[in-house]
Amino acid sequence: MAQSRKKRAAKPTQVDSKAPKGALEGGASKLENWAGKKDSEAYKEATRLYPLIQKEYENQYDQGRMIAEFWNIYSATPDDNQMYMGNSRSYIPAVRDAINARAKRTVKQLFPSRLKHVQAVGSDPNPPYPQLALIEHYIRKSRLKDIVRSDLTAGDVTGQFNIYIDWTRSYRRVTELVKRNPTLDGGSAEEASEIPDPTDEEEATEESDVLEEGPDIVDFATEDLAVVPPTCNDLERAEAVSIRLRMSRAKVEQMVEEGVFILPQKSRIDSFVNKGAGAADDGMRTKAPQKKRAEDAGVRTEGTFTYALIYEVTAQLDFGDGHKRLGYIYYAGQNEIVGIIKAPQWGGKRPTLSAPVERIGGSFFGISKIEPVKFLQWSLNDYWNMGQDSAMYSLLPIVMTDPLKNPNYATMVIGLAAVWAADPNSTKFASFPALWKDAALMCDTIKRQIWESLDVNEIMMGRMPQGRKNNQLMGALQQEQMTAITDHAEYYEEVMLNPLVERIFEYDQQFRTKSLTVRSMGELGVKAQMTDIEPQQWGNRYTFQWSGTAYVQGMQQMQAQIATMNVLRGVPPQQLNGRRLDVSPILDILVGNVFGPEIAPNILIDERNLFTIDSNTENEMLVNGTPVEVHEADEDVQHIQAHQSVARITGDPQLKFRAHIAAHLMQLNRKRQMAAGQQGEPGVPGAPGPSAGGPAKPGMAGTPRQGAMPGMPRPVQQPPGAIHADNIADGQVPGRG
């Protein structure tokens, strides 16, 4: 085999993690490929693995056929499993509604907050805020929430969660409008081009390349995955893992440019791309999952969905150094190996994350959630269609007449003010039995059984339970709903999200080449800021954990935390045995969970980060639009005079000086009141009021006394237009039960 690739004048605009270092900038491939070394051990092992991979795909034919039926059920598409063939062709999406309800509530559990998804513990005691900010940046950039929503739905339908992660780097050409000084006129052209005119300014456009790099996360179809042997429960311990890749012509050309593919001599890319253009894949005998999903959405793909069918297999190979390591093998068909390369990941892990929805001992693949209820769904459709036909017949009257006594019965048609030339005694009217009522009752019973089998209840489906409802019943239903969803979300965190976050951090340490500016929240009390994170170095080990369900459960534990804090505040100092009580960490957690990391720093202000600043420095900051906080140690009178003079000169267009001077005036007034002794007795939380036998003392109403457990609040009158607590559409807000 010879490396056949067309030389390009322009460098590639996008590469993935398998490309050699510098391929994006230089365009020349320096990747070592064993596809042309037929005498190597790696090539011999790749030749041995292909029959196993092909046989495994053939063994999974029944699985692919069943998954196609499950997707028809989810898409509400009638197929050959419908027994009743009447006039009505309706489809009741009971299974689809239940799966969507599970996915929506699970996503809400996994992504309860917009800016906080991951927790981390490092090798040093300092919190790894830059690393957390980096992971949060990649979560937002890759739109992981949409991917997880799709993967949860596909997991319930197929019985398997699947995610593929890679690292991509690309250049994007941007045009910017900039202001610059024009060149001076006169003299030679060379001299004029180097001498700018400082007295003039003009607008011009400049083009530049912006480097974008980051993780590439996609969810793929279960039908495209093959594991050898299929009885292993751990993907990393499998002998070989294969994924069907459907590459466009541009993608094949990119892989050739990177050196990942080595096409056979005298072969053309079109021969590989057109080979996968048929309706069925080789050895699969069913439509490609992408093609089937597009058709379910009403989009035809004839003539526009041409691809090269490539098998990407990861296995342990001997690359000539006497040690086996993870490698990539690319098959374009039998006896057509177009690429064998070493795995670029330093971690030595496969790029595939896959786990069953419910683990089964002795099988890597799981069982679809639709499998136990598919016959119920088909029966539901049959009964419903029978009821629809019955309803149609029951609305039409049945006329019974004697043709001998009424020879003109053919003219007896229904019309406005019709006159029938017939004997009224020989003509009778009847109606078809209203069987649709019985069919509706049977359909409702089947629908409830489907909901029960899929772990959903009436509240999750947007329906209120029948019968008399009280607080205890509503609370029990909400608790039952959260139990199933929380268990499902915790399992997905354990098998998919936690390994995914670890993999993102490892890829960032290895592949990122440029510094990245991300939004770092920091600790509570320090305001959010933009932080430049240089490429990470190996040496510090961090453990990441998804915090979605922990966040939701933490919100439920806040009541117990408040009660415990009040008990701690009531413990006398002599009983602490030399310890000191500090409730500030509890306040940080409570305020951060309730108000979020954006508003919390403005509520609890850490004065350790506030220092008195010279008035001239404050003037410069205010002129540049930077907000400045006042400090208790500031000389307010001197600061006010300095700020007023600069405000008169600049005109204070942004009103920054006016707001800052007002803050100084408020602080100065407060200092004078404290000096004059006009500050009243400070409020005491839980101070006794007039009902305790004494005059009312200033305090915060409703706060418990020290050592007391807070009870249920008394009902108060809500403002006009307020939504009742039982009707608030938020899973985190409990009802009154």
Side-chain angles (χ1 to χ4, degrees), residues 497-634:
L497 292 180
N498 289 341
L500 178 64
V501 172
E502 293 280 353
R503 204 71 57 86
I504 291 175
F505 183 70
E506 292 177 3
Y507 284 13
D508 176 83
Q509 287 185 312
Q510 178 181 354
F511 298 113
R512 185 162 62 90
T513 58
K514 300 293 183 180
S515 62
L516 185 63
T517 302
V518 298
R519 187 176 187 179
S520 177
M521 303 310 298
E523 62 177 319
L524 193 63
V526 182
K527 291 189 175 181
Q529 59 183 354
M530 303 303 292
T531 305
D532 290 337
I533 300 180
E534 298 294 333
Q536 301 292 311
Q537 301 293 328
W538 292 92
N540 289 333
R541 178 63 180 173
Y542 299 96
T543 301
F544 296 93
Q545 183 177 2
W546 198 268
S547 60
T549 55
Y551 179 86
V552 175
Q553 293 176 357
M555 296 294 292
Q556 299 174 355
Q557 295 175 358
M558 285 183 57
Q559 188 72 15
Q561 293 176 0
I562 296 174
T564 305
M565 182 180 66
N566 290 320
V567 173
L568 293 176
R569 290 172 53 247
V571 178
Q574 59 271 18
Q575 295 183 3
L576 294 177
N577 195 17
R579 301 179 182 180
R580 181 174 58 89
L581 178 63
D582 184 10
V583 298
S584 59
I586 304 177
L587 298 177
D588 291 344
I589 296 176
L590 295 179
V591 176
N593 290 340
V594 174
F595 298 99
E598 290 183 319
I599 305 178
N602 299 326
I603 299 175
L604 289 180
I605 300 177
D606 190 354
E607 295 188 352
R608 296 172 299 178
N609 300 284
L610 299 177
F611 303 95
T612 179
I613 304 176
D614 182 72
S615 59
N616 295 327
T617 304
E618 288 186 351
N619 288 333
E620 295 180 3
M621 298 173 64
L622 292 172
V623 169
N624 294 326
T626 303
V628 181
E629 299 286 345
V630 297
H631 195 270
E632 291 185 359
D634 290 343

Side-chain angles (χ1 to χ4, degrees), residues 107-255:
V107 168
K108 187 60 179 178
Q109 287 273 343
L110 296 174
F111 295 85
S113 177
R114 186 168 57 90
L115 298 174
K116 183 179 179 182
H117 305 92
V118 183
Q119 297 176 349
V121 177
S123 57
D124 52 4
N126 298 324
Y129 290 119
Q131 287 74 20
L132 285 175
L134 183 68
I135 298 298
E136 297 290 347
H137 167 74
Y138 287 141
I139 291 174
R140 294 189 297 270
K141 183 179 179 181
S142 62
R143 300 180 63 181
L144 184 60
K145 185 176 182 179
D146 294 338
I147 298 173
V148 169
R149 186 191 306 273
S150 175
D151 193 41
L152 288 171
T153 302
D156 284 348
V157 174
T158 65
Q160 197 79 10
F161 299 128
N162 301 298
I163 287 181
Y164 188 95
I165 178 172
D166 199 358
W167 186 273
T168 60
R169 300 177 66 234
S170 62
Y171 278 119
R172 177 166 51 89
R173 179 63 58 90
V174 297
T175 303
E176 298 178 337
L177 182 65
V178 297
K179 292 184 177 181
R180 62 185 180 187
N181 301 112
T183 57
L184 292 173
D185 296 333
S188 62
E190 297 180 357
E191 294 178 355
S193 62
E194 298 178 358
I195 302 176
D197 185 2
T199 62
D200 194 6
E201 193 176 52
E202 65 177 5
E203 293 183 349
T205 58
E206 290 184 355
E207 292 186 352
S208 60
D209 291 334
V210 177
L211 176 63
E212 292 184 347
E213 52 183 349
D216 183 18
I217 306 173
V218 295
D219 53 330
F220 59 92
T222 304
E223 304 95 304
D224 292 334
L225 178 66
V227 180
V228 179
T231 56
C232 68
N233 291 114
D234 189 357
L235 198 66
E236 297 299 331
R237 297 182 180 181
E239 180 181 358
V241 177
S242 174
I243 300 178
R244 280 194 181 99
L245 302 179
R246 296 168 181 85
M247 297 184 177
S248 63
R249 178 186 178 87
K251 183 61 177 179
V252 174
E253 291 178 351
Q254 174 188 337
M255 300 293 277

Side-chain angles (χ1 to χ4, degrees), residues 389-547:
D389 287 345
S390 172
M392 184 184 302
Y393 297 146
S394 63
L395 295 177
L396 300 176
I398 301 175
V399 180
M400 297 180 294
T401 184
D402 187 356
L404 297 179
K405 295 181 179 181
N406 296 329
N408 298 325
Y409 69 91
T411 63
M412 297 171 61
V413 295
I414 298 178
L416 297 177
V419 178
W420 291 354
D423 183 6
N425 298 324
S426 63
T427 303
K428 295 182 180 180
F429 289 90
S431 60
F432 195 84
L435 301 179
W436 60 271
K437 297 181 180 179
D438 298 332
L441 181 59
M442 295 175 62
C443 291
D444 187 70
T445 304
I446 295 176
K447 187 184 300 184
R448 292 177 181 274
Q449 180 59 48
I450 291 176
W451 293 351
E452 182 178 348
S453 301
L454 293 178
D455 286 336
V456 298
N457 53 28
E458 293 179 314
I459 294 182
M460 296 174 63
M461 301 306 298
R463 294 177 55 178
M464 295 299 294
Q466 299 179 357
R468 184 178 179 86
K469 294 171 284 294
N470 51 36
N471 296 338
Q472 289 76 12
L473 175 62
M474 299 302 298
L477 289 176
Q478 292 179 357
Q479 183 67 26
E480 184 64 24
Q481 166 192 346
M482 297 302 297
T483 300
I485 296 301
T486 302
D487 179 73
H488 187 49
E490 287 180 345
Y491 177 74
Y492 191 84
E493 286 180 354
E494 178 183 356
V495 300
M496 300 299 292
L497 292 180
N498 289 341
L500 178 64
V501 172
E502 293 280 353
R503 204 71 57 86
I504 291 175
F505 183 70
E506 292 177 3
Y507 284 13
D508 176 83
Q509 287 185 312
Q510 178 181 354
F511 298 113
R512 185 162 62 90
T513 58
K514 300 293 183 180
S515 62
L516 185 63
T517 302
V518 298
R519 187 176 187 179
S520 177
M521 303 310 298
E523 62 177 319
L524 193 63
V526 182
K527 291 189 175 181
Q529 59 183 354
M530 303 303 292
T531 305
D532 290 337
I533 300 180
E534 298 294 333
Q536 301 292 311
Q537 301 293 328
W538 292 92
N540 289 333
R541 178 63 180 173
Y542 299 96
T543 301
F544 296 93
Q545 183 177 2
W546 198 268
S547 60

